[in-house]
Amino acid sequence: MASQTDNKLYVSASDATEFMRSVLIGNGVSPENANIVADCLVQADLRGVDTHGVNRISSYMARIREGFLDTKANPSLNQITPVVAQVDGNNGFGFVAAHMGMARAIEMAKEFGIGMVSVKHSNHFGMLAWVVQQVLDAGMMSLVFTNSSPALPVWGGRSKLMGTWHLLLQRGAKIYKAARRGEKIPMDWALDREGKQTDDPYKALGGVMLPMGGPKGSALAIMMDAFSGVLSGSAFAGHVTNPYDPSKPADVGHFLIAIKADLFMTLEDFKERMDYLYKRVVESDKMAGVDRIYYPGEIEQLTKERLKTGIPYVQTEIDALNREAERVGAKAIITQGR
């Protein structure tokens, strides 16, 4: 299977953002909400999380055209206790619901030390890191959970039941990306229809994804579903709709927590201790063949060199994006080959 990854077309972050805004607004999204969605998708591409970037727009627009994602919807907030609130996404963009939820969690944490928000009736909200970044920008710590459509079996099972556990890796989206780009996947990622390991993304999409970490990964997926789906009142236990399936509402749930970093010590002491933890991790003894140890999320931060070089796409991706622009009379995305 030939790969397309050698012929890249580059798009500046500003051009990608403006393109996304125009396509979203052309599909009935308010300018304010379009700004949130566009920024989140472009930030994912800038961090190298291409599976959750601008290329997601086609699946979102398909859901809009089928009437199963409401472009006019705005989330609503219900305060439960001084430190607990719930957001109803009202079947609008998950980005917008999660943005509102985390903003409220931060407000509560500033006053009471911690804020928890459950989000129901939402949709896919892209790269999880952008939600966490809201908390980091406020000088706080956070936990962010979300459930998703069934993609992997529980440990010992074979049928799809649980969603991917987003804190570690979105294998499902990476498999779609590999299929789109004509690439292979690692053999231990998925089974085909016959229950055999495969490196073919198309066969994997017709089969089932394997849980990372064996039984521990399976347990994490169940925990995510309990916090995000069961507790929120959204779909759970395998009933979340796949974001690439435009046949019915997704009904995704999220669970967001913001925590003040200076609850138990001064902020300076906390930062000093975190810096010590970081150094202990990245300066620890390396295994054979490893040149550098990275802290979680560090590679993605370093990938932001794309602010200078532009975001790389392949021609089939550019064509798909421009088809979405044509549907609403928006301008084509601006590219520059390298």
Side-chain angles (χ1 to χ4, degrees):
M1 189 179 294
S3 173
Q4 306 176 51
T5 56
D6 295 333
N7 300 313
K8 297 290 179 62
L9 297 169
Y10 290 79
V11 178
S12 71
S14 59
D15 285 340
T17 301
E18 185 52 39
F19 171 82
M20 286 304 312
R21 287 187 74 260
S22 63
V23 170
L24 288 163
I25 292 172
N27 279 276
V29 182
S30 70
E32 181 182 6
N33 290 348
N35 288 341
I36 294 173
V37 178
D39 182 64
C40 294
L41 293 173
V42 173
Q43 286 301 316
D45 278 339
L46 287 175
R47 288 173 63 96
V49 188
D50 300 321
T51 56
H52 287 60
V54 168
N55 280 304
R56 280 277 183 166
I57 197 64
S58 294
S59 66
Y60 298 151
M61 297 305 101
R63 297 184 66 77
I64 289 171
R65 287 191 291 272
E66 293 297 325
F68 293 111
L69 195 163
D70 188 354
T71 61
K72 305 293 186 183
N74 284 304
S76 54
L77 179 72
N78 180 28
Q79 194 71 38
I80 309 296
T81 77
V83 296
V84 178
Q86 183 169 58
V87 168
D88 189 331
N90 294 316
N91 195 35
F93 276 101
F95 305 90
V96 180
H99 185 274
M100 171 187 278
M102 187 54 86
R104 182 59 190 139
I106 291 170
E107 289 174 357
M108 293 185 291
K110 286 179 178 178
E111 184 173 359
F112 299 104
I114 188 169
M116 296 185 291
V117 177
S118 174
V119 182
K120 64 180 179 179
H121 307 325
S122 185
N123 281 281
H124 187 265
F125 73 0
M127 175 186 68
L128 186 148
W130 76 266
V131 190
V132 175
Q133 191 63 50
Q134 283 183 254
V135 184
L136 296 179
D137 291 343
M140 298 183 183
M141 302 176 70
S142 72
L143 290 171
V144 178
F145 302 154
T146 186
N147 64 1
S148 59
S149 57
L152 62 138
V154 294
W155 183 247
R158 178 175 170 178
S159 60
K160 295 179 181 180
L161 181 63
M162 308 309 299
T164 52
W165 31 294
H166 295 241
L167 288 176
L168 299 179
L169 179 65
Q170 287 283 347
R171 273 189 185 166
K174 288 182 179 291
I175 291 173
Y176 276 105
K177 175 187 172 183
R180 188 173 66 242
R181 293 192 170 186
E183 300 170 345
K184 293 186 180 297
I185 61 173
M187 287 291 292
D188 61 349
W189 276 21
L191 305 177
D192 62 17
R193 291 182 185 276
E194 299 177 354
K196 298 177 182 178
Q197 289 183 318
T198 180
D199 62 1
D200 185 330
Y202 288 100
K203 291 182 178 180
L205 292 172
V208 63
M209 192 168 63
L210 293 172
M212 292 183 64
K216 293 182 179 179
S218 179
L220 278 172
I222 294 171
M223 182 190 74
M224 295 288 181
D225 207 27
F227 275 93
S228 303
V230 177
L231 190 60
S232 71
S234 290
F236 66 102
H239 296 295
V240 174
T241 304
N242 190 299
Y244 294 97
D245 175 6
S247 66
K248 58 183 178 179
D251 200 15
V252 180
H254 320 304
F255 192 72
L256 319 171
I257 304 175
I259 308 168
K260 280 191 70 176
D262 58 352
L263 283 178
F264 309 109
M265 63 191 70
T266 66
L267 186 58
E268 291 71 24
D269 285 343
F270 171 79
K271 289 181 176 179
E272 186 176 301
R273 291 169 67 83
M274 284 300 300
D275 185 59
Y276 178 74
L277 174 61
Y278 169 79
K279 289 178 179 177
R280 288 283 288 175
V281 169
V282 301
E283 295 174 2
S284 59
D285 295 336
K286 305 174 184 64
M287 67 163 43
V290 172
D291 295 323
R292 177 175 176 179
I293 295 173
Y294 294 91
Y295 201 73
E298 187 172 12
I299 293 177
E300 290 81 2
Q301 287 286 358
L302 294 173
T303 307
K304 280 205 169 182
E305 64 187 19
R306 289 180 174 186
L307 277 170
K308 297 178 180 179
T309 64
I311 302 167
Y313 302 102
V314 297
Q315 187 63 57
T316 54
E317 294 170 334
I318 293 295
D319 292 343
L321 294 174
N322 284 334
R323 283 194 292 273
E324 294 300 335
E326 290 172 9
R327 290 177 186 271
V328 294
K331 292 182 180 178
I333 195 166
I334 300 173
T335 64
Q336 179 180 354
R338 295 277 174 96

